[in-house]
Amino acid sequence: MASQPNTRPKIRTRLTDLLGIEHPILCGGLMHLADANYVAAVVNAGTMGFISALTFPDPKQLQDEIQKCRDLSGGKSFGVNLYISPRQDANDRLEKLLTVVRDENVAVVETAGGNPGPIIPFMKEAGIKVIHKVPAVRFALSAERAGVDAISLVGAECGGHPGYMMVGSMVQAADGPQKLSVPVILGGGIGHGSQLTAALAMGCDGILMGTRMLVSSELQAHKDYKQRVAEGTGLDSIVVQSKLKNHHRVLDNQTAQAVLALENQGKETYEDYTHLLNGKLAKEAYTSGNTDQGLLDYGQSACFANAIESVETIITQFMDEAFTAKGRILKLDF
Ligand SMILES: Cc1cc2nc3c(=O)[nH]c(=O)nc-3n(C[C@H](O)[C@H](O)[C@H](O)COP(=O)(O)O)c2cc1C
């Protein structure tokens, strides 16, 4: 059935202008999951998505994935997510991946993890826009000085890495725009359109989602995994690895409980946990649908993800909710 033309007015912000997108929405990088199919679906729905470079660690694989995404997204811009490890020795492959990103004319890069400063000149020279993702305004200020084009600020509710300071999204939303001059995108616990309206009211230029999108039909993951997310309440999201000062918000499952048990025993070195932190466990869970194993990034906004649906359906509903929230505010007449 042909979809109905969208008659809603557009929300224009510095973010939509910066990236040339219809909605002020980013769908963040998802390790093992954000591939060409998913990212193309996301950009075709009028938002911005990012292929997770580390999912395709061989530069040729990344190049193929970028080319596939270009074919699927009909010339629309899309992005690549680059995780910068705080450990310099873990960043050996970054340079080669970055070269592919430049040679393939990728429009925008979402950086996360360590300081993007050293690679900013390379990206600026290539005309790539850089959005750096941080868990606290303090890190955003140094990224802004280093020349990033925008900042994604994620709160403690987020799936993945909320940072050891665990600042909530409501605080980030009001604090970030006051202290930063580049566009600010709010993430962490976002999954309902009313939160976009609230974020804009607080001075943000857009929002970022990860967990809410895990039920997308275009995501290449086992249907049992998506069904588990759809049945999740968000209360089944817990933070592990705080003893390692690497706070990680994940689905509460056997692996997460095993990590917590070691933390309760006072284990404080990375080596004590290596067998549980292995990313292969998560990759297997996405493929097999067995969600008992692996640290599976998963945030509190799972409460909004209640059915497996297309990206287009999720985004359309989200924007409807944003406009409904705007209507509620206007009726208050203040
Ligand atoms: C399954 C999953 C995998 C993720 N993988 C990455 C990643 O590889 N790189 C990254 O920068 N962020 C990653 N994130 C974080 C998201 O890009 C986004 O910042 C976060 O999910 C936003 O918070 P929310 O989950 O509350 O929406 C991941 C999140 C999830 C849920």
Side-chain angles (χ1 to χ4, degrees):
M1 201 173 71
S3 58
Q4 295 297 311
N6 173 7
T7 51
R8 262 194 262 97
K10 300 241 180 307
I11 301 180
R12 185 174 171 191
T13 71
R14 290 187 300 170
L15 179 65
T16 59
D17 285 352
L18 178 71
L19 301 181
I21 50 178
E22 188 183 348
H23 308 302
I25 299 175
L26 307 183
C27 297
L30 305 171
M31 186 65 183
H32 303 307
L33 296 169
D35 62 2
N37 280 317
Y38 169 72
V39 172
V42 155
V43 300
N44 287 334
T47 74
M48 180 53 73
F50 305 88
I51 296 174
S52 296
L54 293 186
T55 303
F56 308 97
D58 170 3
K60 176 72 178 85
Q61 269 184 310
L62 179 63
Q63 185 180 33
D64 290 348
E65 207 61 23
I66 290 171
Q67 289 174 355
K68 184 175 170 192
C69 192
R70 186 169 302 125
D71 289 345
L72 294 171
S73 54
K76 291 200 178 71
S77 295
F78 58 89
V80 165
N81 170 278
L82 276 182
Y83 176 75
I84 306 165
S85 174
R87 287 179 21 235
Q88 203 43 47
D89 59 319
N91 285 329
D92 293 348
R93 357 175 228 202
L94 212 57
E95 204 174 310
K96 285 195 182 117
L97 296 174
L98 206 46
T99 304
V100 171
V101 167
R102 180 200 55 196
D103 293 350
E104 287 299 322
N105 294 315
V106 169
V108 50
V109 162
E110 174 189 58
T111 50
N115 172 19
I119 57 172
I120 298 274
F122 180 93
M123 291 192 276
K124 294 275 101 181
E125 176 96 350
I128 300 168
K129 292 179 179 114
V130 186
I131 303 178
H132 187 54
K133 187 161 59 181
V134 292
V137 173
R138 195 176 93 187
F139 305 117
L141 289 167
S142 49
E144 184 177 71
R145 280 195 298 276
V148 299
D149 296 284
I151 289 286
S152 286
L153 259 181
V154 291
E157 300 93 325
C158 74
H161 293 277
Y164 65 88
M165 295 158 184
M166 298 288 282
V167 185
S169 295
M170 197 75 178
V171 174
Q172 310 268 36
D175 192 29
Q178 289 192 61
K179 295 188 176 142
L180 296 160
S181 34
V182 294
V184 175
I185 301 108
L186 179 70
I190 309 288
H192 192 277
S194 58
Q195 295 166 297
L196 168 61
T197 307
L200 295 177
M202 286 190 268
C204 297
D205 301 275
I207 60 90
L208 162 75
M209 294 190 282
T211 300
R212 173 68 184 94
M213 305 308 292
L214 297 178
V215 289
S216 306
S217 30
E218 293 88 344
L219 209 68
Q220 303 289 307
H222 197 285
K223 72 168 184 354
D224 290 353
Y225 164 75
K226 295 184 198 177
Q227 198 51 42
R228 173 65 187 86
V229 175
E231 285 162 14
T233 59
L235 297 176
D236 47 1
S237 149
I238 56 170
V239 175
V240 297
Q241 288 180 255
S242 50
K243 278 269 172 359
L244 298 173
K245 238 182 166 191
N246 184 31
H247 294 51
H248 194 178
R249 187 179 279 288
V250 294
L251 179 70
D252 187 357
N253 64 6
Q254 287 173 13
T255 306
Q257 286 299 329
V259 172
L260 278 185
L262 288 178
E263 294 188 58
N264 289 336
Q265 287 168 29
K267 306 280 189 201
E268 284 183 351
T269 63
Y270 186 78
E271 288 66 34
D272 294 321
Y273 296 84
T274 348
H275 60 297
L276 297 168
L277 305 186
N278 190 339
K280 279 191 189 143
L281 292 175
K283 196 175 172 188
E284 276 166 30
Y286 299 137
T287 315
S288 70
N290 174 7
T291 53
D292 291 338
Q293 303 296 329
L295 287 186
L296 308 178
D297 295 14
Y298 173 87
Q300 295 179 337
S301 58
C303 63
F304 303 117
N306 300 318
I308 302 171
E309 290 167 321
S310 71
V311 168
E312 175 75 31
T313 304
I314 294 171
I315 298 299
T316 302
Q317 184 189 327
F318 188 89
M319 292 308 296
D320 286 345
E321 291 160 353
F323 279 93
T324 302
K326 177 187 169 192
R328 275 198 294 270
I329 295 295
L330 292 177
K331 269 199 213 133
L332 292 175
D333 191 27
F334 68 94

